[in-house]
Amino acid sequence: MLLSPTFSILLLQAASSLAIPGSVVKRADPVVQLDDTTVTGIANGTVNQFLGIPFAQPPVGSLRFQLPRPLPSYNESFPATAYGPVCPQQAFNLTIPSDLPAETQEVLEVMNSGSTRTISEDCLSLNVIAPANASVGSKHPVIVWIFGGGFEAGDPAATDGSVIVNKSIDLGVPVVYVSINYRTKVLITLAFGFLAGKEVQEAGIGNLGLQDQRLALKWIQRYIGQFGGDPSKVTIWGESAGAISVALQMVTNSGNAEGLFRAAFMQSGSPIPVGDIAHGQVYYDSLVNQTGCSNSSDTLKCLRGVPYDTLMDAVNNTPNIFSYQSLSLAWLPRVDGIFLTDDPQQLVLQGSVADVPFVTGDCNDEGTIFSFANLNVTTDDEFLTYIQMYYTPGASVDEVKQILDLYPQDPADGSPFNTSDQNALTPQSKRLAAFQGDAIFQGPRRSFLQQRAGKQETWSFCNKQSKALPYLGSYHGSDMESIWGDGAMSDYFLRFVTNLDPNGNTSINWPRYTLDSPNMLTLLDGSIPLQITQDDYRVEAMRGVSGLMLKYPL
């Protein structure tokens, strides 16, 4: 997700870690052979875990801000018994109002927290979790999890893939789970993974975080069979920035997936409206100035040699996802001419999309979390200025004024949606939440589906659970438990991974999304948790904001 795992997921994992199993005979630790190397994992109940396996040369020293380089081969045995270090993370700084209800504060505090694990630039590793009886030749479908965190933070250890594998075993559709680490803000969104500017483009090193992911997918093709996985049955899956990453893996390389995956599953993320890598020049220049590289004839070379702490201090002085500009991120994927040859949404219009079945869906109130960063926007004029400055800087005032009409100031029209005039922190907060959620999540999802429905098999969903949570509603990330927590969508997810169709011994039939019938599996609170609804809400508003941002991408 754009943020760290949700409060409910953390509680779920804490509970599972405290569970005391019955009389369980300790199995011998599993081993796999990679090239000439024996790798030892952990026997954990009904699964085997292989953690912290390096998949690329460490991106340190002269390899900092360079394309990831594969390991030539494995030639020395090692234990794979602990997650590798977290990639460098940018610090969040959300100011949480003290008068919020306790349940709302708890969610925001979890979102605002960073990883407490060891952080290192030497972080390009992955983790494999497989059924205990899996072996070479098992040919189980493979799930590849790409974490979220706003391209600024994230940790594959934050979610326990054993939950997914054990659920698949219970359903009789065993899978192999892989989670990958990649450079975000400092690793994927930060400077380390998403450095931008003309210097970056000239060096051909844009979108390093996405390149890291691609290399990990190639590693899986080469080695996953040793763990019992089938390299021809890979589904890439992510939430928030992870889901956006999945979408961008679909549109790169002229839509040629290179056999790296056969399906995709996206939670709160689709092809987003981003423009040329030069749009990030101001942030590159800021790093150069703050690290003492401004007088260098080769600023990129200088940045590669800057001490880690100095570089991190400079990165932490740039805007993050909880800064005033919020979802108009400083460090994010941009058009670099190599990995992304055009705005991702333009690539979709051009038909540059991997021809694989996919699922994409959102939470009903995607923007509420991010409206806390701009609570000082309280008037129509301030709203207009904010949108023009951070979301559509090239647009005229008259063009941006369309947004005023499409997203009325009336709190009853804002997000959390369908909560009347309640949940308004300021006169503009619900309006901003509605706009930001549609501009970055809901609008791109609908546009993606409408372009691809009929050309490939597609499904969509909408999470409306947690609607009663004050000021947040069905917030960004609130759908995580629906899969990770053995929730309403977990069976559908695993059926999709196995059969390329989410249906089969599931509670209600989930129809495909078509132009004639834009069906959505809708997750609800209460005694009836699932319902099929239509993707026909805020049509004019989403069309207007999507058109404007396609014309003026971030």
Side-chain angles (χ1 to χ4, degrees), residues 260-345:
L260 298 176
F261 54 90
R262 69 165 186 170
F265 199 103
M266 291 156 276
Q267 294 178 254
S268 298
S270 297
I272 54 175
V274 292
D276 192 80
I277 198 167
H279 291 188
Q281 188 71 47
V282 62
Y283 305 114
Y284 179 92
D285 293 343
S286 174
L287 288 188
V288 167
N289 291 331
Q290 292 184 61
T291 54
C293 289
S294 56
N295 294 324
S296 173
S297 60
D298 187 338
T299 55
L300 193 55
K301 181 179 179 180
C302 181
L303 286 174
R304 291 191 176 110
V306 168
Y308 172 81
D309 289 343
T310 301
L311 183 58
M312 278 306 306
D313 286 345
V315 168
N316 284 331
N317 285 330
T318 60
N320 65 70
I321 200 169
F322 285 142
S323 297
Y324 181 63
Q325 64 193 65
S326 193
L327 291 172
S328 179
L329 300 174
W331 308 101
L332 78 171
R334 299 185 192 273
V335 179
D336 62 343
I338 299 174
F339 196 93
L340 294 177
T341 57
D342 205 340
D343 175 350
Q345 294 189 331

Side-chain angles (χ1 to χ4, degrees), residues 48-64:
N48 292 333
Q49 298 175 318
F50 298 88
L51 310 176
I53 302 172
F55 68 83
Q57 297 180 44
V60 299
S62 63
L63 296 186
R64 178 192 279 175

Side-chain angles (χ1 to χ4, degrees), residues 171-502:
L171 288 177
V173 290
V175 301
V176 173
Y177 170 95
V178 181
S179 59
I180 60 178
N181 220 351
Y182 61 98
R183 283 169 283 182
T184 54
K185 191 167 197 162
V186 136
L187 178 156
I188 178 181
T189 188
L190 207 98
F192 287 80
F194 293 93
L195 199 66
K198 65 180 186 299
E199 295 87 349
V200 175
Q201 186 169 32
E202 289 169 359
I205 58 166
N207 295 311
L208 294 180
L210 299 175
Q211 297 277 14
D212 292 344
Q213 296 167 10
R214 200 77 173 185
L215 183 59
L217 292 174
K218 293 176 180 178
W219 184 98
I220 290 166
Q221 288 298 302
R222 180 174 179 180
Y223 291 112
I224 202 63
Q226 299 300 110
F227 301 86
D230 187 340
S232 70
K233 296 180 179 178
V234 172
T235 296
I236 52 176
W237 167 41
E239 190 268 343
S240 191
I244 293 169
S245 296
V246 168
L248 300 185
Q249 294 294 340
M250 291 180 67
V251 302
T252 190
N253 197 36
S254 301
N256 180 4
E258 302 177 276
L260 298 176
F261 54 90
R262 69 165 186 170
F265 199 103
M266 291 156 276
Q267 294 178 254
S268 298
S270 297
I272 54 175
V274 292
D276 192 80
I277 198 167
H279 291 188
Q281 188 71 47
V282 62
Y283 305 114
Y284 179 92
D285 293 343
S286 174
L287 288 188
V288 167
N289 291 331
Q290 292 184 61
T291 54
C293 289
S294 56
N295 294 324
S296 173
S297 60
D298 187 338
T299 55
L300 193 55
K301 181 179 179 180
C302 181
L303 286 174
R304 291 191 176 110
V306 168
Y308 172 81
D309 289 343
T310 301
L311 183 58
M312 278 306 306
D313 286 345
V315 168
N316 284 331
N317 285 330
T318 60
N320 65 70
I321 200 169
F322 285 142
S323 297
Y324 181 63
Q325 64 193 65
S326 193
L327 291 172
S328 179
L329 300 174
W331 308 101
L332 78 171
R334 299 185 192 273
V335 179
D336 62 343
I338 299 174
F339 196 93
L340 294 177
T341 57
D342 205 340
D343 175 350
Q345 294 189 331
Q346 291 288 358
L347 291 175
V348 173
L349 293 174
Q350 296 162 22
S352 176
V353 181
D355 186 15
V356 299
F358 70 85
V359 177
T360 181
D362 290 303
C363 298
N364 193 230
D365 299 305
E366 290 283 2
T368 52
I369 287 284
F370 309 106
S371 66
F372 285 85
N374 30 60
L375 292 178
N376 60 336
V377 176
T378 60
T379 69
D380 284 4
D381 286 344
E382 289 171 349
F383 176 85
L384 182 67
T385 299
Y386 182 84
I387 299 305
Q388 186 175 33
M389 179 176 294
Y390 292 112
Y391 285 93
T392 58
S396 67
V397 172
D398 287 341
E399 285 178 304
V400 180
K401 279 183 177 178
Q402 301 174 45
I403 304 300
L404 294 175
D405 297 328
L406 296 173
Y407 292 88
Q409 186 273 338
D410 186 350
D413 293 317
S415 181
F417 295 108
N418 306 117
T419 59
S420 187
D421 58 355
Q422 299 174 12
N423 297 303
L425 281 164
T426 75
Q428 300 286 333
S429 61
K430 290 183 72 175
R431 183 188 214 176
L432 267 170
F435 167 79
Q436 291 185 119
D438 283 356
I440 304 301
F441 298 103
Q442 294 272 20
R445 174 198 57 79
R446 181 179 288 166
S447 297
F448 190 30
L449 286 162
Q450 290 180 342
Q451 286 297 317
R452 300 311 301 174
K455 300 181 177 73
Q456 58 201 102
E457 295 182 340
T458 61
W459 291 263
S460 190
F461 68 88
C462 180
N463 175 53
K464 292 187 177 181
Q465 295 179 332
S466 303
K467 180 59 75 171
L469 186 62
Y471 302 107
L472 295 179
S474 302
Y475 62 94
H476 179 78
S478 59
D479 61 330
M480 287 283 282
E481 191 176 4
S482 68
I483 293 179
W484 286 98
D486 194 22
M489 207 159 50
S490 60
D491 288 15
Y492 292 99
F493 169 70
L494 288 165
R495 301 290 182 192
F496 176 75
V497 167
T498 303
N499 303 316
L500 304 183
D501 187 324

